[in-house]
Amino acid sequence: MRASRLALASLLALTFAGASAQAATEIQFWHSMEGPLGERVNALVEAFNKTHPDIQVHAVYKGSYGESMNAGIAAYRAGNAPDILQVFEVGTATMMYAKGAIKPVQEMSEEVGDPIDPKAFLGAVASYYSSQQGKLVSMPFNSSTVVFYYNKDAFKAAGLDPEQPPKTWEEVAQAARKLKAAGQECGYTTTWPSWVQLETFSAWHDVPYATENNGFGGLNARLAIDSPLHLRHLDNLAKMAKEGLFTYGGRGDAAGALFISGKCGMATGSSGMRANIAKNAKFAFGTSTLPYYAGVPNAPQNTIIGGASLWVFADRSPEIYRGVTQFFKYLASPEVAAAWHQETGYVPITVAAYDLTRQQGYYEKNPGTEVAVKQLNVQTTDRSRGLRLGYLPQIRDIEDAEMERIFNGQISAQEGLKTITARGNELLQKFEKSVK
């Protein structure tokens, strides 16, 4: 009899366990974080799943940003898209205008009765991923921005004050001349030329990158970077290159190696580059705000973000949307978002995570890590909130190619900007027609 009771108890336990497992809401999450970042994403998901046994998120690495976005679009067309897809910031317009495919994040959270408040996020972060009405369309996650790095040891050797980095482009050129005179191989370089020297440059100086509020106002947006200020800037960089003060180091983050190796004394790059510099550079370095042109009204304004956000596909059950909302609110909780910021170099996406990090003394212990946050934690304007343009990855390719020719002295800045504007607008017109 006792054996029968034990068998019955075991059977009931298995039955209830099976029912519990079946009752858990399963959520598929595709992302592009690999290596140490991928490990941290898996740790985040594991921690969430342990504290939310009724919701189980399954994180799957799907390749680079471009690869995962293409995989997500293909899966949607085939009828088996994931619930959550991580998409890089330049894919925002493509996702937003995918009518019927996407469930806007704020709308989703309000429908399940657990609203996500856009005011909880840093100003420049929320505005980039919000509709024209100020409602979140995707969930901010891994956000970075452009900062200015400089080699303190090289500054000392050149007779420059290592605690007074250049604040304007005029001062960058002056510092580069002194570095060169002191034997420095390279004065200044930049990673991500399009993101830094055109997109962020525009926001930092509060001038339009494109018409229609940089695309937020409509699909008929066209590039506006053939302005006198953009011409002045690229012409200035070309002259610095000719004088040997600026060294072009390639597309993407390729030029980061020039700074980390010690060849270049100054560099502009992602705030997420800091960890790599701290680990591999053999010199003391500083982090400062981006240079700007003195006399330009409202400059400096704010920088714009890089990185990616999380998008939710449409036509899911209320249970899945409820689970996704809880997962997103977990990622945005002060403790989790602050830890993610401190461990990865991405900025804290919420004001609460920023405040907590500051209270923990992280910025005092790690000077320079607050620069990126301060550049983003600003009330944005229609010209500085970011970009909402289709085919932006392809436009960046055009920009990079033309800037290479400008910096190499093959064409003038005016010729290059004219080509960028004409070819970029052809793509924007094509995107407008395809969406309509």
Side-chain angles (χ1 to χ4, degrees):
M1 181 65 72
R2 183 172 180 274
S4 298
R5 286 199 300 270
L6 286 173
L8 179 61
S10 298
L11 179 61
L12 288 172
L14 288 170
T15 300
F16 285 128
S20 176
Q22 290 175 358
T25 301
E26 305 284 334
I27 295 172
Q28 296 297 320
F29 169 29
W30 289 4
H31 66 85
S32 298
M33 301 281 92
E34 61 180 333
L37 288 175
E39 293 171 5
R40 288 187 173 95
V41 167
N42 290 335
L44 280 176
V45 169
E46 185 178 349
F48 173 81
N49 289 343
K50 284 183 179 178
T51 54
H52 297 74
D54 57 328
I55 306 168
Q56 293 298 295
V57 177
H58 303 283
V60 181
Y61 173 70
K62 297 296 285 188
S64 67
Y65 283 137
E67 291 169 343
S68 64
M69 183 174 173
N70 290 337
I73 292 172
Y76 170 75
R77 289 171 177 164
N80 56 2
D83 303 304
I84 304 170
L85 178 67
Q86 183 186 31
V87 178
F88 57 167
E89 91 282 10
V90 293
T92 298
T94 300
M95 297 299 291
M96 184 179 175
Y97 286 112
K99 299 297 183 183
I102 298 303
K103 184 72 170 178
V105 163
Q106 192 169 342
E107 177 185 314
M108 171 194 71
S109 66
E110 289 172 353
E111 286 182 2
V112 300
D114 193 11
I116 294 175
D117 183 6
K119 293 185 179 66
F121 300 89
L122 295 181
V125 173
S127 63
Y128 198 102
Y129 296 120
S130 293
S131 66
Q132 196 172 5
Q133 292 73 38
K135 290 184 174 289
L136 286 174
V137 291
S138 63
M139 178 66 186
F141 179 46
N142 56 309
S143 295
S144 59
T145 196
V146 186
V147 296
F148 183 82
Y149 296 106
Y150 64 103
N151 183 328
K152 288 189 172 184
D153 292 348
F155 266 49
K156 287 180 182 178
L160 293 163
D161 188 341
E163 302 308 322
Q164 295 295 324
K167 297 297 183 182
T168 66
W169 281 106
E170 293 85 353
E171 291 174 356
V172 169
Q174 292 167 11
R177 287 189 186 95
K178 290 188 177 181
L179 288 166
K180 183 181 178 183
Q184 190 76 30
E185 183 177 334
C186 157
Y188 163 73
T189 192
T190 185
T191 63
W192 300 102
S194 296
W195 180 40
V196 177
Q197 306 299 345
L198 291 176
E199 296 170 21
T200 303
F201 175 86
S202 301
W204 193 233
H205 288 82
D206 199 27
V207 296
Y209 174 89
T211 61
E212 297 295 333
N213 297 336
N214 288 342
F216 279 83
L219 285 166
N220 58 330
R222 298 295 183 264
L223 297 183
I225 53 175
D226 53 350
S227 76
L229 183 60
H230 292 93
L231 175 60
R232 173 186 176 185
H233 182 51
L234 292 193
D235 189 52
N236 179 45
L237 289 177
K239 289 176 179 176
M240 287 178 62
K242 187 175 182 180
E243 193 179 339
L245 308 179
F246 164 57
T247 300
Y248 173 73
R251 303 185 187 188
D253 61 357
L258 292 177
F259 180 74
I260 295 172
S261 67
K263 290 182 179 179
C264 289
M266 300 175 289
T268 40
S270 169
S271 55
M273 179 176 153
R274 180 183 176 85
N276 191 16
I277 298 172
K279 180 180 179 182
N280 296 304
K282 306 301 182 185
F283 52 83
F285 72 96
T287 308
S288 186
T289 53
L290 285 186
Y292 66 98
Y293 285 102
V296 176
N298 303 325
Q301 169 58 37
N302 63 270
T303 55
I304 58 175
I305 61 174
S309 65
L310 306 181
W311 292 79
V312 183
F313 279 97
D315 301 324
R316 299 300 192 269
S317 68
E319 290 74 24
I320 286 180
Y321 284 149
R322 194 171 293 111
V324 170
T325 299
Q326 289 189 43
F327 179 53
F328 284 176
K329 297 193 92 169
Y330 173 81
L331 295 177
S333 62
E335 296 78 12
V336 173
W340 171 257
H341 158 54
Q342 294 172 32
E343 292 171 358
T344 64
Y346 289 111
V347 298
I349 56 172
T350 67
V351 176
Y354 175 36
D355 291 341
L356 178 59
T357 300
R358 194 167 46 197
Q359 292 164 14
Q360 292 171 340
Y362 177 77
Y363 299 124
E364 291 179 8
K365 297 172 186 173
N366 301 274
T369 52
E370 194 175 11
V371 169
V373 191
K374 287 183 174 179
Q375 289 184 163
L376 289 173
N377 195 25
V378 176
Q379 183 64 44
T380 60
T381 71
D382 288 338
R383 296 168 298 279
S384 73
R385 68 189 299 193
L387 311 176
R388 185 62 54 77
L389 302 171
Y391 294 136
L392 192 51
Q394 293 90 333
I395 291 173
R396 277 187 176 179
D397 288 339
I398 295 170
E399 291 170 338
D400 285 341
E402 292 305 305
M403 280 193 286
E404 284 172 355
R405 298 174 68 200
I406 292 170
F407 301 152
N408 289 333
Q410 295 174 277
I411 58 172
S412 69
Q414 187 173 25
E415 290 174 309
L417 284 173
K418 183 179 180 181
T419 300
I420 291 170
T421 303
R423 293 183 59 196
N425 286 341
E426 288 175 2
L427 285 172
L428 290 174
Q429 187 175 21
K430 181 180 178 182
F431 182 77
E432 180 182 6
K433 288 181 179 179
S434 69
V435 171
K436 286 183 178 180

